[in-house]
Amino acid sequence: MPINQYNEDLLVEELFDQTKEFIKECGQDHFHITHNASEFCKKAVFSLTAEHNIGALPCNCDYEGSISFECHPFGGQCQCKANVIGRQCNACRTGFYGSPECKPCDCPSTAMCEPNTGECVCPPNVMGEMCEKCVPNTYGFHQIIGCEDCNCNYLGIANGNQQCDMFNGSCECRQHIEGRACDMCSNGYYDFPRCDHCTCNTAGTLAEICDKVDGSCFCKSNVVGRDCEQCQEGTYNLQESNPDGCTSCFCFGRTTRCESAYLRIYNLSLLKNITLNSAHFGENTIDFQIWDIPQEELMVNETTLKADFSFREVNDVEAEEVVYFGVLDYLMNQNSHISAYGGELAYSLYYTTGLSGKPLLAPDVVLLSKDHLLVHQSYEQPSSNQAFRNRVQMVESNFQTHDGKPVTRADFMMALRDLKMIFIRANYWEQTFISYLSDPYLTLADEDEDSIGEYQLLPVERCNCPPGYTGLSCEDCAPGYYRDSNGPYGGYCIPCECNGHAQTCDCATGICKDCQHSTTGEHCELCQEGYYGNATYGSPHDCMICACPLPYESNNFATSCEISESGDEIHCE
């Protein structure tokens, strides 16, 4: 080193900060450093304690309890005599008394002895000659810990009984009071210890029902009102079984205002359009192939269908196919199955099998619509040679998509709007001989002026539809409107373009029906033969009869005519 850069400070050793290394390597178990710790940790702790204590600490081993005055350099543990414990060897271990001799206690196994005199002492709250039971109003006997106080709330216990259960400590509570110590009201009650009944509508409340202090109701997410008795705006049909309380209005996206429909229920038999189908399962779809069997051969009687598998060989590939009955019908003048929402699909199944084969795995029910394929798997499965009755509630939570995704309310309503077929599984075993489907029906609802007394509020929504829409869920276009498919949930309903000469048009194409005022054309835009004028003006007098020679139907022989600008000349054709 050049002499001009040297100074005596260079000979002083600099401190090296190893804090990060110490925390990383020695910080486990809250920096509890044992004898088998790494050398780095032991040296680091020694350095820290020596710095903190300004040097080493004396061993101070007990003269009578230790066998040496020297202690371990790390931690300071002295070398103790038999049955002696403590860093300084100044206490007896459990079961011994009288340090430093530490003689064995002469007590039952359930008792402990006093560390100085050896007198037998029961654990806290324990009594008996052998310290074998809890004192009154305590519970939970333990040989070492003893027993815990019941602490039953005197205001909440029944008949003044302050003794609790000896095992779990639960006190005997008065009616409508709960808790281990009988210190709170049961769900549905408030103001301990009176515990008055909450006024809440339990169908609209959460499990706790109300605040146990002031009685205010805990409403479900779609429920409002002081007593949780009303559906919030945009929902309807308050039900206890609904975790949200009320169902969201769907209304095909046209409005958020709806209510429960008040209609008569019909159990509609589904044995009108019937087929037997083999199902081929793809990744995202199911391909149904109809068997070439006349409907009359499927019908056993007016309530039962039959699928005969006896013609198939056991080893045939077709024997492994899953087969479905296809059924469907409509209620009176309805063009959809919207009113089936919340109702049930019910049917009975009976089938026979051979002794060999294996079970087939597939959905029990499949709903096929124009754009949706929804499946249902029942918890209970039918057995061979036993009649099986199945009921499926028609709500979205009971169905899923073919690839296992949950079904939304919108998906389910769209499927009911355009339901093409309901498939009910026919075989559950490879070697199925014959299968019978009996009494399949779907719950639907409609108006019936002759049976008002049978009306009831249903899970079906009745929407307050805006102009241009009609139906329980605004699923159809009103008269005078037709559907433009470029829109959500089937498209928008827009006014018919009939130039004021027709009241209605085709709902799908928009072509006007029954053109009036002597007009014709798809949009009533032309005058009929024998009339003249401009039909697009939109008035009842757009088309006038040609006076060829007279302006009367019986005396008009022209196919068309032209009127001069002055209006006093007519040219007939």
Side-chain angles (χ1 to χ4, degrees):
M1 174 178 290
I3 191 170
N4 60 344
Q5 296 180 10
Y6 171 79
N7 61 69
E8 295 184 357
D9 292 339
L10 296 175
L11 300 179
V12 179
E13 183 179 2
E14 294 183 351
L15 298 177
F16 178 53
D17 187 358
Q18 293 183 294
T19 303
K20 292 183 179 179
E21 290 79 1
F22 178 71
I23 293 174
K24 182 178 178 181
E25 186 171 339
C26 313
Q28 295 82 5
D29 198 16
H30 304 286
F31 293 97
H32 179 67
I33 312 300
T34 60
H35 290 173
N36 59 357
S38 66
E39 287 299 319
F40 170 78
C41 291
K42 289 193 289 187
K43 288 181 179 179
V45 169
F46 183 86
S47 173
L48 290 171
T49 55
E51 176 72 19
H52 177 76
N53 296 319
I54 315 176
L57 297 175
C59 291
N60 288 334
C61 297
D62 187 90
Y63 175 79
E64 296 180 317
S66 64
I67 59 176
S68 172
F69 293 116
E70 295 184 359
C71 62
H72 196 284
F74 186 80
Q77 175 64 52
C78 298
Q79 303 176 55
C80 301
K81 294 180 179 179
N83 302 321
V84 178
I85 59 175
R87 190 194 70 77
Q88 296 175 284
C89 305
N90 55 357
C92 295
R93 70 183 179 92
T94 302
F96 293 81
Y97 75 98
S99 177
E101 290 82 7
C102 292
K103 295 169 287 188
C105 297
D106 186 18
C107 298
S109 60
T110 55
M112 302 176 65
C113 65
E114 205 281 328
N116 295 318
T117 65
E119 180 183 357
C120 295
V121 179
C122 291
N125 294 328
V126 174
M127 65 180 187
E129 292 183 2
M130 302 297 292
C131 299
E132 76 281 5
K133 59 184 178 180
C134 292
V135 302
N137 301 333
T138 63
Y139 75 100
F141 174 79
H142 190 279
Q143 292 182 350
I144 298 176
I145 300 175
C147 301
E148 297 182 56
D149 291 324
C150 289
N151 289 327
C152 297
N153 192 308
Y154 187 77
L155 298 175
I157 57 177
N159 304 318
N161 181 15
Q162 298 192 50
Q163 177 59 56
C164 58
D165 185 277
M166 297 299 295
F167 295 99
N168 59 32
S170 58
C171 302
E172 182 183 1
C173 303
R174 291 193 292 112
Q175 188 178 18
H176 309 317
I177 293 178
E178 64 181 17
R180 190 202 66 77
C182 302
D183 53 359
M184 66 177 68
C185 296
S186 302
N187 289 341
Y189 297 85
Y190 73 101
D191 190 17
F192 180 85
R194 292 177 54 183
C195 292
D196 296 325
H197 192 277
C198 301
T199 61
C200 311
N201 184 335
T202 55
T205 58
L206 300 173
E208 290 188 355
I209 301 178
C210 70
D211 187 286
K212 296 183 179 182
V213 176
D214 60 16
S216 58
C217 302
F218 297 140
C219 297
K220 295 177 180 177
S221 58
N222 287 342
V223 181
V224 296
R226 180 184 179 278
D227 296 330
C228 303
E229 77 283 7
Q230 300 174 8
C231 291
Q232 72 174 7
E233 183 74 20
T235 65
Y236 76 105
N237 189 35
L238 177 60
Q239 292 293 324
E240 188 169 0
S241 58
N242 188 336
D244 296 325
C246 299
T247 304
S248 297
C249 298
F250 176 59
C251 302
F252 283 78
R254 307 310 168 207
T255 180
T256 58
R257 299 178 61 191
C258 71
E259 61 185 4
S260 296
Y262 188 61
L263 299 169
R264 179 188 173 185
I265 286 179
Y266 296 87
N267 289 334
L268 177 70
S269 173
L270 298 174
L271 297 183
K272 183 176 182 180
N273 300 321
I274 56 175
T275 58
L276 199 59
N277 313 265
S278 294
H280 301 281
F281 296 89
E283 184 175 350
N284 295 313
T285 187
I286 305 176
D287 180 31
F288 292 97
Q289 294 184 353
I290 301 177
W291 288 21
D292 187 17
I293 300 177
Q295 287 196 10
E296 54 271 17
E297 292 187 16
L298 294 177
M299 297 288 296
V300 176
N301 52 48
E302 60 182 11
T303 63
T304 304
L305 300 181
K306 177 182 69 173
D308 190 352
F309 300 87
S310 59
F311 66 89
R312 301 197 299 180
E313 297 291 337
V314 174
N315 295 324
D316 193 347
V317 175
E318 293 183 353
E320 299 183 1
E321 290 181 341
V322 180
V323 178
Y324 287 84
F325 293 103
V327 294
L328 194 67
D329 198 359
Y330 290 86
L331 179 62
M332 293 180 284
N333 60 343
Q334 293 184 357
N335 63 357
S336 74
H337 296 83
I338 292 291
S339 65
Y341 186 85
E344 68 175 13
L345 169 67
Y347 60 90
S348 295
L349 190 72
Y350 179 88
Y351 68 94
T352 60
T353 64
L355 299 177
S356 61
K358 61 182 180 181
L360 302 174
L361 301 178
D364 296 304
V365 176
V366 179
L367 303 183
L368 177 65
S369 71
K370 179 181 178 182
D371 299 312
H372 295 84
L373 184 69
L374 311 181
V375 301
H376 167 79
Q377 187 77 52
S378 298
Y379 292 110
E380 184 180 1
Q381 298 287 283
S383 301
S384 62
N385 300 299
Q386 293 183 13
F388 173 74
R389 186 68 177 172
N390 196 20
R391 287 181 170 85
V392 182
Q393 187 181 17
M394 296 293 285
V395 292
E396 59 273 13
S397 58
N398 283 335
F399 290 83
Q400 59 184 9
T401 61
H402 177 47
D403 55 359
K405 297 179 181 178
V407 176
T408 65
R409 175 158 159 75
D411 290 337
F412 195 69
M413 293 295 287
M414 289 291 289
L416 294 181
R417 173 65 183 89
D418 190 30
L419 197 58
K420 301 299 183 185
M421 189 65 74
I422 298 175
F423 294 101
I424 299 175
R425 191 168 165 190
N427 62 334
Y428 286 78
W429 195 262
E430 277 186 350
Q431 193 179 357
T432 300
F433 292 153
I434 196 165
S435 181
Y436 295 96
L437 178 70
S438 303
D439 300 312
Y441 72 78
L442 182 65
T443 300
L444 295 168
D446 203 356
E447 307 271 358
D448 187 357
E449 295 181 357
D450 297 330
S451 303
I452 298 295
E454 299 182 30
Y455 275 37
Q456 54 184 292
L457 290 172
L458 303 176
V460 181
E461 66 181 6
R462 184 187 289 278
C463 303
N464 296 330
C465 301
Y469 297 89
T470 188
L472 290 171
S473 298
C474 307
E475 70 274 15
D476 293 323
C477 292
Y481 292 79
Y482 73 99
R483 190 173 297 279
D484 180 0
S485 59
N486 294 322
Y489 306 124
Y492 298 106
C493 292
I494 58 179
C496 297
E497 299 174 358
C498 299
N499 295 295
H501 303 303
Q503 299 295 320
T504 60
C505 62
D506 185 276
C507 184
T509 64
I511 296 177
C512 301
K513 298 179 180 179
D514 303 323
C515 292
Q516 300 175 346
H517 311 139
S518 304
T519 61
T520 188
E522 290 187 354
H523 300 286
C524 306
E525 76 279 14
L526 303 173
C527 291
Q528 289 182 353
E529 188 175 287
Y531 289 77
Y532 72 95
N534 189 340
T536 62
Y537 287 166
S539 75
H541 307 293
D542 287 348
C543 295
M544 305 293 291
I545 190 170
C546 293
C548 298
L550 298 176
Y552 302 104
E553 291 282 352
S554 60
N555 206 344
N556 177 18
F557 304 103
T559 57
S560 65
C561 59
E562 294 182 0
I563 306 299
S564 65
E565 292 183 2
S566 61
D568 56 357
E569 292 184 5
I570 184 170
H571 176 69
C572 301
E573 294 183 4

